[in-house]
Amino acid sequence: MDKKVRVRFAPSPTGGLHLGGVRTALFNYLFAKRNNGTFVLRVEDTDQNRFVEGAEQYIVNCLDWCGITPDESPNNPGAYGPYRQSERKASYRKFAEQLISDGYAYYAFDTPEELDAKRKEIPNFQYGQATRMQMRNSLTLTVSEVEELLATQTPHVIRIKVPADEIVHFNDLIRGDVSFETSLVDDKVLLKADGMPTYHLAVVVDDKAMEISHAFRGEEWLPSAPVHILLWKYLGWEAEMPAWAHLPLILKPDGHGKLSKRDGDRLGFPVYAMNWTDPKTGDITKGFKEMGFMPEAFINMLALLGWNDGTDQELFSLKELEEKFSIERISKAGAKFDFEKAKWYNHEWIKHSSFDRLHLAVKAELEKAGIEVKDQVFLGTIIDLIKDRCTLLPDFVAQSSYFFNSPAEYDINSVKPKWTAEKADFFNAFADSLTLTDAGTAEAAFKALAEEKGFKPGELMLPFRIMLVGGKFGPGVFDIAVLLGIAETKARIAKAIAVFNN
């Protein structure tokens, strides 16, 4: 590539981080890594009405959990700061005023009441070429009137003056040539009455100042592209404009429309990377992390929502994604979110992860459930034995709690109908002669005694499992018995017999 790659993820600190936002950050990160570039986090906090305390740190925490930590950010500034738009406020008015001087923008003094009246008067009102000369702005007022309004600090905004009957086109790295008719584009506000820029002005000024080479963002921003292209041109920076890539939407599971938080609430899955607590209400919106997803699985799942490497491979580490990612393999079409597939990724990552990768997370889940883990070797054996059965990290609790505590309850209904005194005698005899050298030896002894007592081993295996674990689940029952040891296995057999006999 001719110029140095610098990309940015530029979220607004207004609440939880949607998985679509994380995917945008991920694609920025992967493109930067693939091209020896720089991944920048820029906080777009110019909308003070929507600013939420704590949201910026939450975004940082989400990126850290995912393993896609920015090279430059408010917390790790480089040579292109500040990295919060609110701290760059002074720079924006200068460029807005320059646009006015050059005839590309104008002051608009319309009050909210005047704008509301115009919306009632004109259906689907847009402030633009067809209406701007009916409004109260520096195009319709005299120079002296404008100067007086400015001198008296009359509230006003600055709007771009979109030209009539032009075609604005640009090359999108995903969609190819994209064009817009300016007659369909309204005069967007560039600078608000509080002196803060809107996204339209800020994104252009900041991308120029930070020397951004490529701009990845969701396709919902496509309608704004002509305004941004015009601003790059009007400010004299067209030659330095970043290459654009508008990412496909992440769609609802049925494919109809963009995935939203409401869809997650309705269908019972998270759409945020991590738990988000609303500072005003205290309401918690659940995230993938707290539901029990591994970051490796979350990132793997997100990468394949709209991208593939051209093969049938589905499991990718972050390192592999860094090596294989390319814009050419990003789809134009929206990608349907499938929560069952997301869980499949997590199950696969749990299965393929080592004890070193899993043990702290599993230990934390067990301790949350009130289970104290002292023996790390014992925990490691358990993890290797049950991880194939776990889809989410909390599943380790249900799948392993019986290794630490004798069952408090039993699936009685699965045993009682066929429970007999003869079966009780069998288990008492088995306990008396119990040896647990290894699972194979224990199983052979169990089957030999069953034959001697006139039972088919199959009709005794389920009661034995329920004695040890409380239900019809878990790995091989003799593997469980070996791990529990002779004394604990005997104690559980005796305790269960007493319950089954009642």
Side-chain angles (χ1 to χ4, degrees):
M1 263 174 211
D2 293 333
K3 59 180 176 179
K4 182 173 145 188
V5 168
R6 287 179 57 80
V7 296
R8 47 57 175 181
F9 175 50
S12 298
T14 56
L17 186 55
H18 187 279
L19 59 90
V22 183
R23 189 192 62 174
T24 298
L26 174 63
F27 284 5
N28 273 288
Y29 171 90
L30 294 176
F31 185 75
K33 294 303 172 189
R34 180 73 194 274
N35 294 286
N36 298 312
T38 302
F39 172 46
V40 178
L41 172 65
R42 183 174 72 219
V43 179
E44 302 202 338
D45 59 348
T46 56
D47 191 342
Q48 294 299 296
N49 293 325
R50 296 180 63 225
F51 175 79
V52 176
E53 195 67 42
E56 180 186 316
Q57 186 57 49
Y58 165 86
I59 291 166
V60 170
N61 293 344
C62 288
L63 297 182
D64 283 347
W65 176 65
C66 291
I68 52 176
T69 303
D71 301 303
E72 297 174 19
S73 69
N75 295 340
N76 184 38
Y80 297 85
Y83 291 85
R84 293 185 189 93
Q85 284 187 337
S86 59
E87 296 172 9
R88 305 172 70 90
K89 181 177 176 180
S91 66
Y92 302 114
R93 177 167 282 278
K94 175 179 71 173
F95 294 112
E97 299 280 5
Q98 177 187 323
L99 289 165
I100 291 174
S101 298
D102 293 342
Y104 297 127
Y106 57 93
Y107 299 109
F109 300 94
D110 316 277
T111 65
E113 293 75 21
E114 288 168 338
L115 290 170
D116 285 342
K118 191 59 72 174
R119 290 186 189 103
K120 289 173 184 173
E121 177 190 332
I122 303 175
N124 303 315
F125 168 75
Q126 279 193 318
Y127 203 127
Q129 299 153 50
T131 58
R132 64 169 75 116
M133 298 310 291
Q134 304 169 33
M135 309 302 292
R136 200 158 66 98
N137 54 52
S138 56
L139 301 177
T140 60
L141 300 170
T142 65
V143 173
S144 60
E145 286 174 322
V146 171
E147 289 175 350
E148 184 179 344
L149 289 169
L150 293 175
T152 55
Q153 297 186 339
T154 303
H156 63 277
V157 300
I158 294 178
R159 291 179 178 272
I160 185 173
K161 186 181 177 185
V162 177
D165 303 320
E166 286 188 14
I167 301 294
V168 174
H169 69 92
F170 67 97
N171 181 62
D172 187 282
L173 295 174
I174 296 170
R175 295 157 200 285
D177 189 68
V178 180
S179 60
F180 295 89
E181 295 178 26
T182 57
S183 58
L184 302 176
V185 181
D186 57 325
D187 291 354
K188 299 290 186 190
V189 173
L190 302 180
L191 203 71
K192 294 178 284 188
D194 63 2
M196 280 292 194
T198 61
Y199 173 77
H200 305 294
L201 178 62
V203 73
V204 172
V205 171
D206 291 345
D207 282 354
K208 167 68 167 62
M210 292 184 170
E211 298 182 15
I212 298 303
S213 63
H214 296 75
F216 291 80
R217 60 184 183 183
E219 72 172 49
E220 63 268 32
W221 287 107
L222 260 177
S224 300
V227 172
H228 304 160
I229 305 296
L230 288 171
L231 287 173
W232 279 96
K233 177 181 175 184
Y234 292 164
L235 289 166
W237 303 334
E238 198 169 10
E240 298 162 84
M241 185 171 68
W244 298 95
H246 287 85
L247 305 174
L249 294 177
I250 297 178
L251 304 174
K252 302 172 193 280
D254 64 7
H256 299 302
K258 182 181 175 183
L259 181 71
S260 71
K261 176 182 172 295
R262 285 188 300 278
D263 298 313
D265 293 341
R266 177 171 56 87
L267 298 170
F269 56 74
V271 297
Y272 288 167
M274 292 169 59
N275 274 11
W276 167 252
T277 304
D278 188 308
K280 291 181 180 176
T281 65
D283 291 343
I284 297 175
T285 303
K286 200 155 194 176
F288 280 86
K289 177 179 184 282
E290 288 76 11
M291 185 167 269
F293 276 78
M294 298 178 68
E296 295 94 329
F298 181 59
I299 285 298
N300 191 163
M301 175 269 295
L302 277 185
L304 271 72
L305 281 175
W307 173 87
N308 67 78
D309 73 338
T311 72
D312 292 330
Q313 182 176 342
E314 291 191 276
L315 297 182
F316 293 87
S317 67
L318 186 57
K319 189 69 181 168
E320 286 177 301
L321 290 170
E322 290 173 15
E323 292 167 356
K324 297 189 175 186
F325 182 78
S326 67
I327 295 179
E328 292 75 22
R329 297 298 310 174
I330 297 176
S331 170
K332 295 178 190 176
K336 285 194 286 188
F337 177 70
D338 181 346
F339 188 54
E340 292 307 310
K341 185 68 173 183
K343 289 193 292 185
W344 177 85
Y345 280 110
N346 207 55
H347 180 54
E348 291 298 311
W349 271 99
I350 286 175
K351 281 198 307 185
H352 290 92
S353 292
S354 67
F355 168 70
D356 286 344
R357 173 64 189 89
L358 289 171
H359 84 279
L360 289 178
V362 173
K363 187 169 181 279
E365 292 293 341
L366 292 170
E367 288 174 349
K368 273 194 285 186
I371 298 169
E372 188 179 358
V373 181
K374 294 179 180 176
D375 187 336
Q376 296 301 305
V377 175
F378 183 54
L379 178 61
T381 306
I382 290 169
I383 286 175
D384 284 342
L385 197 58
I386 67 171
K387 65 183 182 180
D388 285 8
R389 300 169 179 274
C390 298
T391 297
L392 302 170
L393 291 173
D395 293 345
F396 278 95
V397 176
Q399 291 290 344
S400 71
S401 59
Y402 53 84
F403 283 111
F404 303 94
N405 298 310
S406 178
E409 295 179 351
Y410 299 94
D411 182 0
I412 293 290
N413 294 333
S414 295
V415 177
K416 265 290 196 183
K418 295 182 179 179
W419 183 253
T420 62
E422 289 76 19
K423 285 184 179 177
D425 289 341
F426 167 83
F427 281 105
N428 280 319
F430 178 65
D432 288 343
S433 62
L434 186 62
T435 57
L436 293 174
T437 312
D438 57 69
T441 304
E443 183 174 4
F446 185 91
K447 289 180 176 178
L449 183 60
E451 191 175 340
E452 181 186 318
K453 297 283 188 181
F455 289 108
K456 292 178 180 176
E459 59 186 309
L460 299 169
M461 297 286 266
L462 181 59
F464 186 35
R465 176 176 294 281
I466 291 173
M467 287 174 174
L468 298 188
V469 308
K472 297 187 288 186
F473 60 90
V477 70
F478 297 101
D479 290 315
I480 296 171
V482 169
L483 273 173
L484 291 175
I486 291 175
E488 181 62 21
T489 299
K490 283 185 173 183
R492 291 192 185 189
I493 290 172
K495 178 184 170 187
I497 288 174
V499 173
F500 296 169
N501 282 341
N502 283 337

